Amino acid sequence: MISMTATPLPAELEAVIFDWAGTLVDFGSFAPTRVFVDAFAQFGMEVSLEQARGPMGVGKWDHIRALCDEPAIANQYEARFGRLPTDDDVTAIYERFLPMQLEKVAQYSAAIPGAAELLRALRRQGLKIGSCSGYPSSVMRRVVERAAAEGLEPDCIVASDDVPRARPAPAMALKNVVELGISDVAGCVKVDDTAPGIEEGRRAGMWTVGLLLSGNAAGLALDEYLKLDEAGRQQARERARRELSPAGPHYLIDTVADLPAALADVQARLAAGKRP
């Protein structure tokens, strides 16, 4: 067998692929977490916002499965129903969750400050704009409808049930690559506020940017964020950094408003022949 060293393939920045809740809309990612709490309450279980945030980023059925696997929640279920929650029980909770999510999601899905301006700037640069979400397509339709009214209209939208396996697998990010006609995954940047979303981008061979303050990791409502002094923001950054760093993001920034500097660095690294 002859071993050869491959020459690095050249690539140019072509696209940015965004998550939705906590990234483009819903500062603090409250729409899914609050509804998880309410859905479990209908089955007589008490789930805190902090617990509900734990598996954020994966598909919603998988999220409920992960919550049901937590001993504190599984024990509540067993005390009430006499058994640990099965996949059928998870589906029952999901089926209760989904209509509640459909009812509430638009209410919480205001555009994150700077997001619409960023997308316009990316288009002026000739970049394509993709997106994907842990929401199923029925929920995404509600999110997209409100987002469009606020100037957020990506070129591609992929929901968790549009692929056989959602995050942290790379399928949603790679479906964007196919739909957008991208020539090289190294020319794509995945932007997300959760560890599974960052992992998705890395598994897809993309540059990845984690968001420290606008999403699930910090868990701050917009008004809470705006009231923080710099010391308070630094504490929130460190809390989010501990959650996101194990996924290995290439960059960590506060919100999408800070993305241009990271993209400029990616462009410079690509021009120097580097790849993710």
Side-chain angles (χ1 to χ4, degrees):
M1 181 182 294
I2 299 175
S3 176
M4 301 183 65
T5 301
T7 303
L9 293 171
E12 297 181 353
L13 185 60
E14 295 184 69
V16 183
I17 300 170
F18 294 93
D19 174 50
W20 281 89
T23 299
L24 291 177
V25 301
D26 186 9
F27 200 105
S29 196
F30 281 95
T33 50
R34 284 176 171 154
V35 178
F36 279 128
V37 171
D38 292 343
F40 274 86
Q42 292 201 7
F43 287 81
M45 289 178 287
E46 186 174 324
V47 176
S48 69
L49 272 177
E50 183 178 359
Q51 287 173 312
R53 288 187 180 281
M56 194 63 69
V58 301
K60 300 314 176 194
W61 189 97
D62 292 326
H63 190 131
I64 294 171
R65 176 72 272 177
L67 288 175
C68 285
D69 288 340
E70 287 193 18
I73 297 171
N75 290 342
Q76 289 186 61
Y77 196 94
E78 186 175 26
R80 184 170 180 82
F81 297 103
R83 65 178 185 278
L84 293 173
T86 65
D87 283 356
D88 287 342
D89 298 322
V90 170
T91 298
I93 298 171
Y94 176 79
E95 290 175 348
R96 190 73 58 87
F97 163 86
L98 189 57
M100 296 168 68
Q101 185 77 90
L102 286 167
E103 179 185 350
K104 296 287 187 181
V105 69
Q107 173 185 337
Y108 290 118
S109 293
I112 285 175
E117 294 83 355
L118 172 67
L119 265 58
R120 288 194 291 269
L122 297 181
R123 284 209 167 90
R124 287 195 295 270
Q125 294 175 44
L127 297 177
K128 295 178 180 179
I129 301 168
S131 69
C132 52
S133 174
Y135 286 137
S137 54
S138 59
V139 175
M140 275 308 301
R141 283 192 287 272
R142 304 285 180 93
V143 176
V144 168
E145 183 178 348
R146 173 165 183 178
E150 298 191 41
L152 299 176
E153 296 184 280
D155 303 312
C156 181
I157 299 164
V158 179
S160 61
D161 56 353
D162 289 334
V163 296
R165 188 175 179 185
R167 298 170 185 156
M172 288 197 291
L174 292 176
K175 186 171 174 63
N176 273 271
V177 169
V178 173
E179 296 293 334
L180 294 172
I182 302 301
S183 62
D184 192 328
V185 292
C188 297
V189 178
K190 175 71 199 307
V191 185
D192 208 292
D193 67 304
T194 68
I198 293 166
E199 185 178 340
E200 168 195 23
R202 291 194 62 211
R203 289 182 181 277
M206 301 176 178
W207 303 93
T208 55
V209 180
L211 302 179
L212 293 170
L213 296 184
S214 67
N216 184 69
L220 295 167
L222 180 58
D223 60 343
E224 293 174 326
Y225 164 75
L226 294 173
K227 289 175 183 175
L228 288 178
D229 59 15
E230 184 52 35
R233 290 189 182 188
Q234 188 57 32
Q235 287 181 345
R237 286 187 192 104
E238 290 306 314
R239 183 170 70 249
R241 193 184 307 274
R242 288 192 296 271
E243 182 173 326
L244 298 181
S245 291
H250 295 91
Y251 303 88
L252 287 169
I253 61 177
D254 286 354
T255 77
V256 289
D258 305 307
L259 187 61
L263 294 182
D265 194 67
V266 169
Q267 288 177 310
R269 293 169 78 174
L270 288 170
K274 298 184 182 300
R275 297 175 68 87

